[in-house]
């Protein structure tokens, strides 16, 4: 996109959305979420790590940072006038905001992913998934937008509305200005981010990791989903996985507000995201807090992981494999 007389750093988030002819209500929604991140940054920098009995920026009792970040986002979405339903990692149920769906959006979010890392000063983030209308229990391929905000040494925001994936940085005026446009990922990588305990890996994942190590691929794992995915995106290569484990057949990460929005963003950059058997964005969620194993990043490496799992976990154990295959296919 040519922008006479403008450096990319002068392209702020709202202008970028306008340039991509994004619907006005969706533009407003994405900008409201960006606005809310400023209060979350404030709470991260100043908030107590846990219930401290002091008051927060809304005059309420200081809460765990997860809950505080959740309240900040809920208030914004409540007052945005463009949200039909919302749900988050901190809510038990879907919260209805407006009775009509026309021109409105439904939002699933993780207000503060990796919050247990705050007290050791590691990077954390907010993850958001946006659908048109009222229904949140749709396959991820129907998302109209996905985004995350990464609270690291710098605060950055990454979003996609289905026409490429773009990164913005927060400047000294707390505005988000364009850093990287149409980010892409190589087909094959040289870093891997392995979540979960190695001794609980199933044979397919175990063989995949051994292959990566023999290939000389470097291990990079922070324990925060947002920085770990951001690393794959901004390095333009790599694979993250939080696989099915012997004691957690569905893995740890939640489909609706962690795995699915990241899958949307990574696919927009030319990468892939799988549950080990199937494309994440084709999975039909059956409950709002459902979990999914995830292998996400360079397309060839994701396919390779699926190959190891197919060979070592479905062919060898006949009915176990068949049952797992039927279960994976149904999920
Ligand atoms: P949350 O803090 O929202 O519960 O999510 C934490 C997740 C995710 O950030 C990360 O990929 C994963 O937990 C790390 O899990 P382990 O500590 O088991 O590696
Ligand atoms: Mn999370
Ligand atoms: Mn969280």
């Amino acid at each position: 996109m040519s922008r006479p007389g403008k450096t990319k750093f002068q392209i702020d988030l709202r202008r970028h959305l306008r340039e991509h002819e994004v619907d006005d209500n969706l533009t407003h929604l994405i900008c409201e979420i960006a606005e809310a991140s400023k209060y979350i940054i404030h709470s991260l920098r100043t908030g107590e790590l846990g219930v401290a009995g002091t008051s927060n920026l809304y005059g309420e009792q200081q809460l765990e940072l997860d809950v505080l970040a959740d309240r900040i986002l809920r208030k914004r979405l409540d007052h945005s006038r463009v949200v039909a339903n919302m749900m988050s990692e901190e809510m038990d149920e879907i919260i209805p905001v407006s009775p009509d769906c026309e021109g409105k959006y439904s939002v699933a979010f993780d207000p503060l992913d990796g919050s247990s890392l705050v007290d050791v000063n590691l990077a954390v983030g907010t993850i958001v998934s946006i659908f048109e209308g009222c229904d949140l229990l749709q396959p991820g391929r129907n998302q109209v937008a996905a985004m995350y905000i990464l609270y690291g040494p710098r605060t950055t925001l990454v979003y996609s509305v289905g026409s490429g994936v773009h990164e913005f940085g927060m400047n000294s005026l707390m505005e988000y200005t364009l850093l990287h446009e149409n980010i892409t990922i190589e087909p094959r990588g040289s870093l891997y981010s392995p979540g979960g305990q190695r001794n609980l890996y199933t044979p397919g994942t175990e063989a995949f990791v051994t292959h990566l190590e023999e290939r000389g691929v470097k291990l990079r794992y922070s324990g925060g989903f947002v920085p770990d995915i951001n690393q794959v995106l901004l390095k333009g290569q790599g694979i993250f996985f939080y696989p099915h484990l012997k004691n957690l057949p569905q893995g740890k990460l939640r489909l609706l507000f962690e795995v699915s929005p990241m899958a949307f963003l990574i696919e927009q950059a030319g990468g892939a995201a799988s549950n080990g058997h199937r494309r994440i964005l084709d999975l039909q969620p059956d409950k709002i807090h459902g979990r999914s194993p995830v292998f996400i990043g360079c397309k060839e490496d994701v396919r390779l992981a699926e190959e190891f799992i197919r060979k070592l976990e479905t062919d060898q154990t006949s009915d176990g494999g068949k049952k797992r295959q039927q279960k994976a296919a149904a999920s």
Side-chain angles (χ1 to χ4, degrees), residues 35-280:
E35 229 11 62
S37 70
K38 298 177 185 176
Y39 293 89
I40 295 176
I41 294 166
H42 176 77
S43 66
L44 286 172
R45 305 280 184 258
T46 61
E48 299 298 323
L49 302 178
V51 178
T54 54
S55 70
N56 67 16
L57 64 165
Y58 287 103
E60 294 151 345
Q61 186 216 12
Q62 184 73 39
L63 295 161
E64 286 288 342
L65 286 172
D66 285 314
V67 175
L68 180 53
D70 192 54
R71 286 201 175 174
I72 289 166
L73 273 162
R74 279 168 68 165
K75 276 186 193 279
R76 274 277 159 178
L77 296 177
D78 251 343
H79 298 126
S80 69
R81 303 182 323 286
V82 295
V83 170
N85 291 309
M86 62 178 165
M87 73 79 58
S88 84
E89 184 182 83
E90 309 309 330
M91 303 178 198
D92 299 342
E93 296 304 324
I94 290 178
I95 304 256
V97 177
S98 132
D100 67 305
C101 305
E102 196 48 45
K104 300 248 182 344
Y105 296 91
S106 287
V107 188
F109 59 95
D110 183 349
L112 197 60
D113 179 83
S115 48
S116 58
L117 301 172
V118 174
D119 56 357
V120 292
N121 205 18
L122 283 172
V124 292
T126 296
I127 311 170
V128 184
S129 170
I130 301 174
F131 289 93
E132 202 161 4
C134 288
D135 183 8
L136 276 169
L137 285 179
Q138 303 183 51
R141 63 174 179 268
N142 296 346
Q143 291 172 90
V144 290
M147 63 193 284
Y148 62 76
I149 295 110
L150 173 53
Y151 312 104
R154 294 183 302 135
T155 301
T156 55
L157 179 151
V158 168
Y159 91 89
S160 176
V161 289
S163 44
V165 57
H166 320 288
E167 184 203 29
F168 293 73
M170 181 175 272
N171 65 19
S172 52
L173 301 175
M174 294 195 94
E175 297 157 337
Y176 283 108
T177 58
L178 184 63
L179 293 177
H180 295 101
E181 203 170 29
N182 299 316
I183 299 169
T184 56
I185 296 180
E186 298 296 320
R188 198 176 154 91
S190 59
L191 71 84
Y192 71 108
S193 255
Q197 287 166 252
R198 185 80 180 263
N199 62 315
L200 296 175
Y201 279 6
T202 54
T205 309
E206 185 53 44
F208 176 57
V209 172
T210 305
H211 159 82
L212 292 174
E213 288 172 344
E214 283 164 359
R215 206 168 94 192
V217 176
K218 271 189 288 186
L219 191 157
R220 291 282 183 275
Y221 187 74
S222 80
F225 191 36
V226 179
D228 287 341
I229 292 292
N230 189 68
Q231 174 174 231
V232 169
L233 205 51
L234 272 296
K235 287 218 184 286
Q237 55 92 6
I239 182 166
F240 171 98
F241 45 97
Y242 206 108
H244 48 302
L245 302 173
K246 289 173 189 158
N247 64 335
L248 274 180
Q250 289 308 312
K252 171 182 184 180
L253 298 178
R254 278 54 58 100
L255 178 61
L256 216 55
F257 45 76
E258 290 173 324
V259 174
S260 180
M262 291 307 199
F264 185 85
L265 293 169
I266 290 287
E267 282 205 4
Q268 281 295 312
S274 164
N275 67 355
H277 303 275
R278 292 180 60 205
R279 182 186 180 220
I280 291 287

